[in-house]
Amino acid sequence: MKRWGGIFLLWLLGLTATAQPVCHVLKYDESDGVPSSHLTQLLQDNKGFMWFSTWNGLCRYDGYEFQTFKPQVGDGCNMKTDRIRNINLLPQGLILCQVDEDYYMFDLSTYRFRNLTSQERQQAEEYRHKYRQSRSMQNREHFSWTDAHHTQWSLDGKGRLTYQTSDGMETEYPLNIPFNRLSFAFPDNSGNLWVLDNGCIYQFCTDVRRTQRLDIIPKAEVKSLFLDSKGRYWVATKGDKAVRVYRSSDDSLLGYLGSDGRLHPQYSSFSSAVYCMYESKDGTLWFGTKPQGLYRLQETSPNTFEISHFIEESHHDIYHLKADRWGRLWVATLDGGLCYLTGIKDETPHYAVPKHYPKEKSTRARYLYISDDDILLVATSNGLMVSQLKENADEMGFILHERESERESSLSSSATMDVVQDGRGQIFVSTESGGINLIQSKDLLAESLKFRHFNEIFHAQSNDIVQSLTPLDQGMLMAVGSHLITLLDSTYHGRVLDARYFNENYRFSEAHPIRIDGNRWLFGLVDGAFIADSQKLLDTSKKPKLVLTHVSVQGGNSNWAIEQADTLTLMPNERSVTIHFAALEYSSPERINYAFRLSSGEEWNYIGHNRSATLLDLEKGTYVLEIRSTNANGEWQDNTRRLTIIVEPTFWEAWYGQLLLVLLIVGVLATVAYTYLYIRRIKRKHRETLEKYLALIEVSSTPVEANSLPPSDQSDAVQELDPTLQRVMQYIEENISNSDVGVGEMAAAAAVSRSGLQRKLKQTMGVTPQELLSKARIKHACLLLQQTSKSVSDVAYACGFNDPKYFSRCFKQNTGKSPTEYREG
């Protein structure tokens, strides 16, 4: 885990200089993952990784973790130990490693050690001196470098740090770090200085202070800030009940406003803590205080004011003031809700409360906003109150919008703090604990307003408290929280300005920041105020380079050289993979957020500070993984890193496997079709043979006068039958009326065994002997029913049936009709 070696800030009395250099020092040792306390050399490769040689292998650092590499048994490298005494980066992407008295190569394309070639071995000594990146700090040598802010720094071997001021003077920067023995130093491509000490690594991260602090002594919470029409800005503090007045042109203190209406050069208390200030069109100043109500200040001479005091019961804790076009002054109070003043130029203005204002629901009003079409929005602790302003305030109706548990588009929190309109006419509402809400409804007077929530912007931060909102140029919005500022651009992406950005742990008050001139903003704190240059607030920090650190494949080893490739090929059995990445921002990597998507056009997956993307059960094909990050201030950058992932198909997913599968399916279908057709053909042949035989029975059984077949046809039909079948046919014909005929008798008549007869009839007709006898009897019965007048019982007996009822059942089962129905049909 990264540890702060120290944060050291220079402090000046009064107003501090904005370009004052700042340096904080980070320390890394074995508890942070450094493999050995014996560190020998350092460098930075072309991808931006930091490398350190140790007596326990070669170590890489990506801003988050240290990873150590050593030769492995069986890899062909002859390194006997891991004591690496020196490293040099060669142009070919190789790291020359001196191990004791010998040299070896670490190949960044494979992340493997190898032996030197004969040519490399001849030039090893030349490489060692030619390609060294660091400089020695031994023998009290000093190292000078220029940081990203163009400040010249110098560090000597004893740890004395100096910088050059704008006028060229060398100034010592106070460090209270017990350095042991500084050996080598190297500045990375971001202006950070890396120094090896005995047993640890120091990283010097330099910056500049971006703010000017106002000299508010003693420190007190600022409750209100205001810029009047004469170029003076007013700072009201709570604890000392003071109102300081400054000249905006040079930030000089004009004095303290006393209760007598005059500016005093020394501290003088106003009669009450001022929570809000407002200036009417005629230049009259109004102060809202807590708990002393309202004050009116009319300037009688330069910096001298006539003060009038007005206090109304239940309206003495005033948080905001706003005038409408009818000359009324609207007042938001924390004890009585909303009220207004008429006759504000009179000696004693009149307090009034709109007749229909729901005081019982909204007694705690914080902020007022009046739109161009005279719609009043009141931020209260119980929700957002909306009303259409009218000349007669008693005719005004009020609608309270609260957080609704069953409606997602309601307010994210009922405790509203502020209401502002940006340059595009959109109205935003800040909440105490629910982030920012955008009013999406076009009709502000609708019974139910639709809100879009932006509290997800604050999920990566410690809280989503928004104390005030301020519109900026270019459609931007500034949200001030309890300890940080979030700048929202026109696409609603946030940029975070916190203690790391300001180089001081500011705690903001509820006072709205004000622009004191074209380029500077004044912010209120719980212990004072500071001025910041708007251009510096909006400046984007350096875009960090996004790199792939390693890839973990399911069932395989990690690939640490993935940054050298643009394509990752997965074997057919490798369908799940985890890609690890990092934005190389060494000074504050913990502030970086990440997002990824698997193909262009898809929605980004925002994963916060997580630095890996896991892809499970990938189908065969080609994918493009895209990864991007924010900078240290939370702004999303155009630093997309793309990795093409090719998933090789299995045998059955490949075209040849698919073709074989199709051929197998076609073969199976063809076999089934052939079998089906063959069976049908055999059955048809059996049926034809059976019908031919039964037809002969029919011919033989038909009376001579009814026989229509010529003798020659009958003879041919008989000759076509097998001799065995002829004998069976003859026997059935002669014994068709005999009910005792069985398979044994039929086999004996045909001169074959029972099984032989069974097999013969199955092969030729597809029936058993018993089935053949039954079909012959039914066929003979049909002839008798058609051609004779015998009764059904006589027909049954004539066909070998002992029971006429059983005959009727068998006849209907074979023909679908009863004997009587058949005869009639």
Side-chain angles (χ1 to χ4, degrees), residues 28 34-35 39-43 49-54 57-62 66-68 84 87 95 194-196 201-202:
Y28 309 95
V34 178
L39 296 139
T40 58
Q41 195 52 268
L42 72 164
L43 59 80
F49 292 109
M50 293 298 303
W51 292 87
F52 303 91
S53 58
T54 75
L58 184 62
C59 183
R60 188 191 75 178
Y61 183 58
D62 59 10
F66 292 88
Q67 180 64 36
T68 303
I84 303 177
I87 53 175
I95 297 180
W194 299 79
V195 181
L196 299 185
I201 304 168
Y202 285 107

PDB file of all heavy atoms in Angstrom, residues 28 34-35 39-43 49-54 57-62 66-68 84 87 95 194-196 201-202:
ATOM      1  N   TYR A  28       8.112   3.983  -0.772  1.00  0.00           N
ATOM      2  CA  TYR A  28       7.765   2.595  -1.031  1.00  0.00           C
ATOM      3  C   TYR A  28       8.873   1.701  -0.474  1.00  0.00           C
ATOM      4  O   TYR A  28      10.064   1.974  -0.679  1.00  0.00           O
ATOM      5  CB  TYR A  28       7.613   2.313  -2.530  1.00  0.00           C
ATOM      6  CG  TYR A  28       6.693   3.270  -3.253  1.00  0.00           C
ATOM      7  CD1 TYR A  28       7.191   4.386  -3.907  1.00  0.00           C
ATOM      8  CD2 TYR A  28       5.321   3.047  -3.300  1.00  0.00           C
ATOM      9  CE1 TYR A  28       6.361   5.260  -4.584  1.00  0.00           C
ATOM     10  CE2 TYR A  28       4.477   3.918  -3.975  1.00  0.00           C
ATOM     11  CZ  TYR A  28       5.004   5.022  -4.607  1.00  0.00           C
ATOM     12  OH  TYR A  28       4.177   5.884  -5.270  1.00  0.00           O
ATOM     13  N   VAL A  34       7.780  -4.004  -2.739  1.00  0.00           N
ATOM     14  CA  VAL A  34       9.147  -3.979  -3.268  1.00  0.00           C
ATOM     15  C   VAL A  34       9.826  -5.281  -2.848  1.00  0.00           C
ATOM     16  O   VAL A  34       9.825  -5.632  -1.657  1.00  0.00           O
ATOM     17  CB  VAL A  34       9.918  -2.749  -2.741  1.00  0.00           C
ATOM     18  CG1 VAL A  34      11.347  -2.759  -3.264  1.00  0.00           C
ATOM     19  CG2 VAL A  34       9.204  -1.467  -3.151  1.00  0.00           C
ATOM     20  N   PRO A  35      10.399  -6.037  -3.788  1.00  0.00           N
ATOM     21  CA  PRO A  35      10.855  -7.400  -3.459  1.00  0.00           C
ATOM     22  C   PRO A  35      12.084  -7.471  -2.569  1.00  0.00           C
ATOM     23  O   PRO A  35      12.364  -8.525  -1.992  1.00  0.00           O
ATOM     24  CB  PRO A  35      11.146  -8.012  -4.832  1.00  0.00           C
ATOM     25  CG  PRO A  35      11.446  -6.847  -5.710  1.00  0.00           C
ATOM     26  CD  PRO A  35      10.567  -5.739  -5.223  1.00  0.00           C
ATOM     27  N   LEU A  39      18.087  -2.136  -3.296  1.00  0.00           N
ATOM     28  CA  LEU A  39      17.710  -1.594  -4.604  1.00  0.00           C
ATOM     29  C   LEU A  39      18.959  -1.031  -5.264  1.00  0.00           C
ATOM     30  O   LEU A  39      19.746  -0.303  -4.638  1.00  0.00           O
ATOM     31  CB  LEU A  39      16.663  -0.503  -4.436  1.00  0.00           C
ATOM     32  CG  LEU A  39      15.324  -0.976  -3.864  1.00  0.00           C
ATOM     33  CD1 LEU A  39      14.789   0.014  -2.851  1.00  0.00           C
ATOM     34  CD2 LEU A  39      14.327  -1.203  -4.970  1.00  0.00           C
ATOM     35  N   THR A  40      19.159  -1.349  -6.551  1.00  0.00           N
ATOM     36  CA  THR A  40      20.415  -0.987  -7.209  1.00  0.00           C
ATOM     37  C   THR A  40      20.268   0.017  -8.342  1.00  0.00           C
ATOM     38  O   THR A  40      21.178   0.798  -8.583  1.00  0.00           O
ATOM     39  CB  THR A  40      21.095  -2.255  -7.741  1.00  0.00           C
ATOM     40  OG1 THR A  40      20.196  -2.920  -8.647  1.00  0.00           O
ATOM     41  CG2 THR A  40      21.470  -3.189  -6.588  1.00  0.00           C
ATOM     42  N   GLN A  41      19.166   0.008  -9.089  1.00  0.00           N
ATOM     43  CA  GLN A  41      19.047   0.903 -10.236  1.00  0.00           C
ATOM     44  C   GLN A  41      17.571   1.041 -10.621  1.00  0.00           C
ATOM     45  O   GLN A  41      16.714   0.269 -10.170  1.00  0.00           O
ATOM     46  CB  GLN A  41      19.855   0.352 -11.426  1.00  0.00           C
ATOM     47  CG  GLN A  41      20.105   1.340 -12.556  1.00  0.00           C
ATOM     48  CD  GLN A  41      20.703   2.647 -12.120  1.00  0.00           C
ATOM     49  OE1 GLN A  41      19.973   3.589 -11.847  1.00  0.00           O
ATOM     50  NE2 GLN A  41      22.047   2.707 -12.008  1.00  0.00           N
ATOM     51  N   LEU A  42      17.265   2.043 -11.482  1.00  0.00           N
ATOM     52  CA  LEU A  42      15.883   2.289 -11.904  1.00  0.00           C
ATOM     53  C   LEU A  42      15.864   2.885 -13.301  1.00  0.00           C
ATOM     54  O   LEU A  42      16.841   3.495 -13.751  1.00  0.00           O
ATOM     55  CB  LEU A  42      15.165   3.216 -10.925  1.00  0.00           C
ATOM     56  CG  LEU A  42      15.557   4.699 -10.900  1.00  0.00           C
ATOM     57  CD1 LEU A  42      14.488   5.500 -10.175  1.00  0.00           C
ATOM     58  CD2 LEU A  42      16.903   4.944 -10.251  1.00  0.00           C
ATOM     59  N   LEU A  43      14.723   2.716 -13.993  1.00  0.00           N
ATOM     60  CA  LEU A  43      14.521   3.304 -15.321  1.00  0.00           C
ATOM     61  C   LEU A  43      13.034   3.291 -15.643  1.00  0.00           C
ATOM     62  O   LEU A  43      12.220   2.688 -14.923  1.00  0.00           O
ATOM     63  CB  LEU A  43      15.331   2.552 -16.381  1.00  0.00           C
ATOM     64  CG  LEU A  43      15.085   1.051 -16.604  1.00  0.00           C
ATOM     65  CD1 LEU A  43      13.853   0.791 -17.473  1.00  0.00           C
ATOM     66  CD2 LEU A  43      16.296   0.408 -17.241  1.00  0.00           C
ATOM     67  N   PHE A  49       6.115   2.257 -17.876  1.00  0.00           N
ATOM     68  CA  PHE A  49       6.297   1.510 -16.634  1.00  0.00           C
ATOM     69  C   PHE A  49       7.625   1.898 -15.988  1.00  0.00           C
ATOM     70  O   PHE A  49       8.624   2.152 -16.676  1.00  0.00           O
ATOM     71  CB  PHE A  49       6.296   0.005 -16.894  1.00  0.00           C
ATOM     72  CG  PHE A  49       4.972  -0.557 -17.338  1.00  0.00           C
ATOM     73  CD1 PHE A  49       4.779  -0.983 -18.640  1.00  0.00           C
ATOM     74  CD2 PHE A  49       3.916  -0.668 -16.446  1.00  0.00           C
ATOM     75  CE1 PHE A  49       3.569  -1.508 -19.048  1.00  0.00           C
ATOM     76  CE2 PHE A  49       2.697  -1.192 -16.844  1.00  0.00           C
ATOM     77  CZ  PHE A  49       2.524  -1.603 -18.154  1.00  0.00           C
ATOM     78  N   MET A  50       7.635   1.904 -14.660  1.00  0.00           N
ATOM     79  CA  MET A  50       8.871   2.095 -13.904  1.00  0.00           C
ATOM     80  C   MET A  50       9.455   0.729 -13.567  1.00  0.00           C
ATOM     81  O   MET A  50       8.732  -0.191 -13.171  1.00  0.00           O
ATOM     82  CB  MET A  50       8.610   2.884 -12.627  1.00  0.00           C
ATOM     83  CG  MET A  50       8.190   4.330 -12.855  1.00  0.00           C
ATOM     84  SD  MET A  50       9.438   5.327 -13.708  1.00  0.00           S
ATOM     85  CE  MET A  50      10.851   5.140 -12.608  1.00  0.00           C
ATOM     86  N   TRP A  51      10.799   0.612 -13.720  1.00  0.00           N
ATOM     87  CA  TRP A  51      11.489  -0.647 -13.451  1.00  0.00           C
ATOM     88  C   TRP A  51      12.579  -0.410 -12.406  1.00  0.00           C
ATOM     89  O   TRP A  51      13.272   0.616 -12.445  1.00  0.00           O
ATOM     90  CB  TRP A  51      12.106  -1.206 -14.727  1.00  0.00           C
ATOM     91  CG  TRP A  51      11.081  -1.666 -15.726  1.00  0.00           C
ATOM     92  CD1 TRP A  51      10.468  -0.917 -16.677  1.00  0.00           C
ATOM     93  CD2 TRP A  51      10.560  -2.984 -15.843  1.00  0.00           C
ATOM     94  NE1 TRP A  51       9.576  -1.676 -17.406  1.00  0.00           N
ATOM     95  CE2 TRP A  51       9.615  -2.962 -16.906  1.00  0.00           C
ATOM     96  CE3 TRP A  51      10.779  -4.188 -15.171  1.00  0.00           C
ATOM     97  CZ2 TRP A  51       8.909  -4.084 -17.299  1.00  0.00           C
ATOM     98  CZ3 TRP A  51      10.071  -5.312 -15.573  1.00  0.00           C
ATOM     99  CH2 TRP A  51       9.155  -5.262 -16.618  1.00  0.00           C
ATOM    100  N   PHE A  52      12.722  -1.363 -11.502  1.00  0.00           N
ATOM    101  CA  PHE A  52      13.712  -1.282 -10.440  1.00  0.00           C
ATOM    102  C   PHE A  52      14.459  -2.606 -10.369  1.00  0.00           C
ATOM    103  O   PHE A  52      13.842  -3.685 -10.337  1.00  0.00           O
ATOM    104  CB  PHE A  52      13.046  -0.986  -9.092  1.00  0.00           C
ATOM    105  CG  PHE A  52      12.215   0.273  -9.094  1.00  0.00           C
ATOM    106  CD1 PHE A  52      10.863   0.222  -9.402  1.00  0.00           C
ATOM    107  CD2 PHE A  52      12.781   1.499  -8.809  1.00  0.00           C
ATOM    108  CE1 PHE A  52      10.084   1.363  -9.411  1.00  0.00           C
ATOM    109  CE2 PHE A  52      12.014   2.658  -8.823  1.00  0.00           C
ATOM    110  CZ  PHE A  52      10.671   2.591  -9.129  1.00  0.00           C
ATOM    111  N   SER A  53      15.786  -2.530 -10.342  1.00  0.00           N
ATOM    112  CA  SER A  53      16.593  -3.742 -10.169  1.00  0.00           C
ATOM    113  C   SER A  53      16.894  -3.914  -8.683  1.00  0.00           C
ATOM    114  O   SER A  53      17.187  -2.952  -7.972  1.00  0.00           O
ATOM    115  CB  SER A  53      17.886  -3.643 -10.976  1.00  0.00           C
ATOM    116  OG  SER A  53      18.637  -2.505 -10.599  1.00  0.00           O
ATOM    117  N   THR A  54      16.785  -5.144  -8.236  1.00  0.00           N
ATOM    118  CA  THR A  54      17.005  -5.466  -6.823  1.00  0.00           C
ATOM    119  C   THR A  54      17.837  -6.739  -6.728  1.00  0.00           C
ATOM    120  O   THR A  54      18.119  -7.398  -7.729  1.00  0.00           O
ATOM    121  CB  THR A  54      15.666  -5.675  -6.085  1.00  0.00           C
ATOM    122  OG1 THR A  54      15.120  -6.957  -6.452  1.00  0.00           O
ATOM    123  CG2 THR A  54      14.658  -4.597  -6.444  1.00  0.00           C
ATOM    124  N   GLY A  57      15.471  -9.951  -7.968  1.00  0.00           N
ATOM    125  CA  GLY A  57      14.798  -9.938  -9.249  1.00  0.00           C
ATOM    126  C   GLY A  57      14.565  -8.539  -9.785  1.00  0.00           C
ATOM    127  O   GLY A  57      14.955  -7.526  -9.195  1.00  0.00           O
ATOM    128  N   LEU A  58      13.913  -8.494 -10.956  1.00  0.00           N
ATOM    129  CA  LEU A  58      13.586  -7.249 -11.645  1.00  0.00           C
ATOM    130  C   LEU A  58      12.134  -6.902 -11.349  1.00  0.00           C
ATOM    131  O   LEU A  58      11.237  -7.741 -11.494  1.00  0.00           O
ATOM    132  CB  LEU A  58      13.804  -7.416 -13.151  1.00  0.00           C
ATOM    133  CG  LEU A  58      13.601  -6.193 -14.034  1.00  0.00           C
ATOM    134  CD1 LEU A  58      14.580  -5.086 -13.673  1.00  0.00           C
ATOM    135  CD2 LEU A  58      13.739  -6.575 -15.509  1.00  0.00           C
ATOM    136  N   CYS A  59      11.883  -5.653 -10.958  1.00  0.00           N
ATOM    137  CA  CYS A  59      10.562  -5.258 -10.455  1.00  0.00           C
ATOM    138  C   CYS A  59       9.941  -4.186 -11.342  1.00  0.00           C
ATOM    139  O   CYS A  59      10.620  -3.223 -11.726  1.00  0.00           O
ATOM    140  CB  CYS A  59      10.714  -4.754  -9.020  1.00  0.00           C
ATOM    141  SG  CYS A  59       9.162  -4.304  -8.248  1.00  0.00           S
ATOM    142  N   ARG A  60       8.661  -4.354 -11.650  1.00  0.00           N
ATOM    143  CA  ARG A  60       7.909  -3.368 -12.446  1.00  0.00           C
ATOM    144  C   ARG A  60       6.837  -2.717 -11.575  1.00  0.00           C
ATOM    145  O   ARG A  60       6.175  -3.388 -10.791  1.00  0.00           O
ATOM    146  CB  ARG A  60       7.240  -4.040 -13.658  1.00  0.00           C
ATOM    147  CG  ARG A  60       6.606  -3.066 -14.634  1.00  0.00           C
ATOM    148  CD  ARG A  60       5.740  -3.790 -15.651  1.00  0.00           C
ATOM    149  NE  ARG A  60       4.467  -4.229 -15.084  1.00  0.00           N
ATOM    150  CZ  ARG A  60       3.503  -4.847 -15.775  1.00  0.00           C
ATOM    151  NH1 ARG A  60       3.692  -5.130 -17.057  1.00  0.00           N
ATOM    152  NH2 ARG A  60       2.376  -5.200 -15.184  1.00  0.00           N
ATOM    153  N   TYR A  61       6.640  -1.403 -11.769  1.00  0.00           N
ATOM    154  CA  TYR A  61       5.622  -0.661 -11.006  1.00  0.00           C
ATOM    155  C   TYR A  61       4.733   0.099 -11.983  1.00  0.00           C
ATOM    156  O   TYR A  61       5.224   0.761 -12.909  1.00  0.00           O
ATOM    157  CB  TYR A  61       6.294   0.315 -10.039  1.00  0.00           C
ATOM    158  CG  TYR A  61       5.320   1.066  -9.147  1.00  0.00           C
ATOM    159  CD1 TYR A  61       4.450   0.380  -8.315  1.00  0.00           C
ATOM    160  CD2 TYR A  61       5.282   2.458  -9.152  1.00  0.00           C
ATOM    161  CE1 TYR A  61       3.561   1.057  -7.496  1.00  0.00           C
ATOM    162  CE2 TYR A  61       4.399   3.147  -8.331  1.00  0.00           C
ATOM    163  CZ  TYR A  61       3.539   2.443  -7.508  1.00  0.00           C
ATOM    164  OH  TYR A  61       2.652   3.118  -6.698  1.00  0.00           O
ATOM    165  N   ASP A  62       3.403  -0.024 -11.799  1.00  0.00           N
ATOM    166  CA  ASP A  62       2.447   0.632 -12.692  1.00  0.00           C
ATOM    167  C   ASP A  62       1.631   1.717 -11.991  1.00  0.00           C
ATOM    168  O   ASP A  62       0.627   2.175 -12.514  1.00  0.00           O
ATOM    169  CB  ASP A  62       1.497  -0.406 -13.301  1.00  0.00           C
ATOM    170  CG  ASP A  62       0.701  -1.175 -12.247  1.00  0.00           C
ATOM    171  OD1 ASP A  62       0.733  -0.778 -11.062  1.00  0.00           O
ATOM    172  OD2 ASP A  62       0.052  -2.176 -12.602  1.00  0.00           O
ATOM    173  N   PHE A  66       3.647  -3.501  -7.347  1.00  0.00           N
ATOM    174  CA  PHE A  66       4.947  -3.948  -7.808  1.00  0.00           C
ATOM    175  C   PHE A  66       4.850  -5.414  -8.227  1.00  0.00           C
ATOM    176  O   PHE A  66       4.272  -6.231  -7.511  1.00  0.00           O
ATOM    177  CB  PHE A  66       5.996  -3.796  -6.699  1.00  0.00           C
ATOM    178  CG  PHE A  66       6.310  -2.366  -6.352  1.00  0.00           C
ATOM    179  CD1 PHE A  66       5.574  -1.687  -5.392  1.00  0.00           C
ATOM    180  CD2 PHE A  66       7.332  -1.692  -6.996  1.00  0.00           C
ATOM    181  CE1 PHE A  66       5.857  -0.369  -5.054  1.00  0.00           C
ATOM    182  CE2 PHE A  66       7.626  -0.375  -6.682  1.00  0.00           C
ATOM    183  CZ  PHE A  66       6.885   0.288  -5.712  1.00  0.00           C
ATOM    184  N   GLN A  67       5.416  -5.724  -9.386  1.00  0.00           N
ATOM    185  CA  GLN A  67       5.431  -7.100  -9.877  1.00  0.00           C
ATOM    186  C   GLN A  67       6.872  -7.483 -10.175  1.00  0.00           C
ATOM    187  O   GLN A  67       7.578  -6.785 -10.903  1.00  0.00           O
ATOM    188  CB  GLN A  67       4.568  -7.245 -11.136  1.00  0.00           C
ATOM    189  CG  GLN A  67       4.530  -8.646 -11.709  1.00  0.00           C
ATOM    190  CD  GLN A  67       3.876  -9.649 -10.761  1.00  0.00           C
ATOM    191  OE1 GLN A  67       2.930  -9.320 -10.069  1.00  0.00           O
ATOM    192  NE2 GLN A  67       4.388 -10.872 -10.751  1.00  0.00           N
ATOM    193  N   THR A  68       7.306  -8.610  -9.623  1.00  0.00           N
ATOM    194  CA  THR A  68       8.699  -9.040  -9.744  1.00  0.00           C
ATOM    195  C   THR A  68       8.824 -10.158 -10.775  1.00  0.00           C
ATOM    196  O   THR A  68       7.995 -11.069 -10.836  1.00  0.00           O
ATOM    197  CB  THR A  68       9.226  -9.524  -8.386  1.00  0.00           C
ATOM    198  OG1 THR A  68       9.071  -8.476  -7.425  1.00  0.00           O
ATOM    199  CG2 THR A  68      10.696  -9.903  -8.481  1.00  0.00           C
ATOM    200  N   ILE A  84      20.457  -8.581  -9.236  1.00  0.00           N
ATOM    201  CA  ILE A  84      20.634  -7.703 -10.399  1.00  0.00           C
ATOM    202  C   ILE A  84      21.248  -6.396  -9.901  1.00  0.00           C
ATOM    203  O   ILE A  84      20.627  -5.659  -9.129  1.00  0.00           O
ATOM    204  CB  ILE A  84      19.291  -7.454 -11.107  1.00  0.00           C
ATOM    205  CG1 ILE A  84      18.659  -8.796 -11.517  1.00  0.00           C
ATOM    206  CG2 ILE A  84      19.483  -6.568 -12.330  1.00  0.00           C
ATOM    207  CD1 ILE A  84      17.301  -8.669 -12.161  1.00  0.00           C
ATOM    208  N   ILE A  87      20.724  -2.038 -14.439  1.00  0.00           N
ATOM    209  CA  ILE A  87      19.845  -2.234 -15.596  1.00  0.00           C
ATOM    210  C   ILE A  87      19.970  -1.032 -16.525  1.00  0.00           C
ATOM    211  O   ILE A  87      20.193   0.098 -16.092  1.00  0.00           O
ATOM    212  CB  ILE A  87      18.363  -2.423 -15.181  1.00  0.00           C
ATOM    213  CG1 ILE A  87      17.899  -1.276 -14.278  1.00  0.00           C
ATOM    214  CG2 ILE A  87      18.120  -3.775 -14.554  1.00  0.00           C
ATOM    215  CD1 ILE A  87      16.416  -1.342 -13.921  1.00  0.00           C
ATOM    216  N   ILE A  95      15.939  -4.826 -21.813  1.00  0.00           N
ATOM    217  CA  ILE A  95      16.579  -4.330 -20.600  1.00  0.00           C
ATOM    218  C   ILE A  95      17.823  -5.171 -20.347  1.00  0.00           C
ATOM    219  O   ILE A  95      17.729  -6.390 -20.134  1.00  0.00           O
ATOM    220  CB  ILE A  95      15.627  -4.393 -19.394  1.00  0.00           C
ATOM    221  CG1 ILE A  95      14.421  -3.472 -19.625  1.00  0.00           C
ATOM    222  CG2 ILE A  95      16.361  -3.976 -18.120  1.00  0.00           C
ATOM    223  CD1 ILE A  95      13.424  -3.476 -18.472  1.00  0.00           C
ATOM    224  N   TRP A 194      12.154  10.113  -9.075  1.00  0.00           N
ATOM    225  CA  TRP A 194      12.262   8.855  -8.342  1.00  0.00           C
ATOM    226  C   TRP A 194      13.691   8.737  -7.824  1.00  0.00           C
ATOM    227  O   TRP A 194      14.651   8.924  -8.579  1.00  0.00           O
ATOM    228  CB  TRP A 194      11.941   7.669  -9.249  1.00  0.00           C
ATOM    229  CG  TRP A 194      10.552   7.716  -9.805  1.00  0.00           C
ATOM    230  CD1 TRP A 194      10.118   8.469 -10.854  1.00  0.00           C
ATOM    231  CD2 TRP A 194       9.429   6.981  -9.344  1.00  0.00           C
ATOM    232  NE1 TRP A 194       8.788   8.257 -11.081  1.00  0.00           N
ATOM    233  CE2 TRP A 194       8.333   7.339 -10.171  1.00  0.00           C
ATOM    234  CE3 TRP A 194       9.222   6.063  -8.323  1.00  0.00           C
ATOM    235  CZ2 TRP A 194       7.064   6.813  -9.992  1.00  0.00           C
ATOM    236  CZ3 TRP A 194       7.949   5.521  -8.156  1.00  0.00           C
ATOM    237  CH2 TRP A 194       6.889   5.892  -8.978  1.00  0.00           C
ATOM    238  N   VAL A 195      13.817   8.425  -6.554  1.00  0.00           N
ATOM    239  CA  VAL A 195      15.130   8.364  -5.915  1.00  0.00           C
ATOM    240  C   VAL A 195      15.230   7.064  -5.122  1.00  0.00           C
ATOM    241  O   VAL A 195      14.301   6.687  -4.389  1.00  0.00           O
ATOM    242  CB  VAL A 195      15.359   9.576  -4.981  1.00  0.00           C
ATOM    243  CG1 VAL A 195      16.746   9.503  -4.351  1.00  0.00           C
ATOM    244  CG2 VAL A 195      15.195  10.878  -5.746  1.00  0.00           C
ATOM    245  N   LEU A 196      16.389   6.382  -5.274  1.00  0.00           N
ATOM    246  CA  LEU A 196      16.640   5.172  -4.499  1.00  0.00           C
ATOM    247  C   LEU A 196      17.383   5.542  -3.228  1.00  0.00           C
ATOM    248  O   LEU A 196      18.364   6.299  -3.252  1.00  0.00           O
ATOM    249  CB  LEU A 196      17.475   4.183  -5.311  1.00  0.00           C
ATOM    250  CG  LEU A 196      16.882   3.674  -6.629  1.00  0.00           C
ATOM    251  CD1 LEU A 196      17.797   2.619  -7.243  1.00  0.00           C
ATOM    252  CD2 LEU A 196      15.482   3.116  -6.430  1.00  0.00           C
ATOM    253  N   ILE A 201      12.229   3.326  -1.864  1.00  0.00           N
ATOM    254  CA  ILE A 201      12.128   4.187  -3.043  1.00  0.00           C
ATOM    255  C   ILE A 201      11.347   5.421  -2.644  1.00  0.00           C
ATOM    256  O   ILE A 201      10.285   5.321  -2.010  1.00  0.00           O
ATOM    257  CB  ILE A 201      11.398   3.468  -4.199  1.00  0.00           C
ATOM    258  CG1 ILE A 201      12.096   2.147  -4.539  1.00  0.00           C
ATOM    259  CG2 ILE A 201      11.301   4.368  -5.419  1.00  0.00           C
ATOM    260  CD1 ILE A 201      11.271   1.257  -5.457  1.00  0.00           C
ATOM    261  N   TYR A 202      11.850   6.590  -3.021  1.00  0.00           N
ATOM    262  CA  TYR A 202      11.123   7.838  -2.792  1.00  0.00           C
ATOM    263  C   TYR A 202      10.641   8.397  -4.131  1.00  0.00           C
ATOM    264  O   TYR A 202      11.371   8.372  -5.124  1.00  0.00           O
ATOM    265  CB  TYR A 202      12.011   8.875  -2.097  1.00  0.00           C
ATOM    266  CG  TYR A 202      12.232   8.605  -0.629  1.00  0.00           C
ATOM    267  CD1 TYR A 202      13.460   8.134  -0.168  1.00  0.00           C
ATOM    268  CD2 TYR A 202      11.216   8.810   0.287  1.00  0.00           C
ATOM    269  CE1 TYR A 202      13.664   7.880   1.183  1.00  0.00           C
ATOM    270  CE2 TYR A 202      11.408   8.563   1.643  1.00  0.00           C
ATOM    271  CZ  TYR A 202      12.632   8.096   2.077  1.00  0.00           C
ATOM    272  OH  TYR A 202      12.821   7.841   3.410  1.00  0.00           O
TER     273      TYR A 202
END
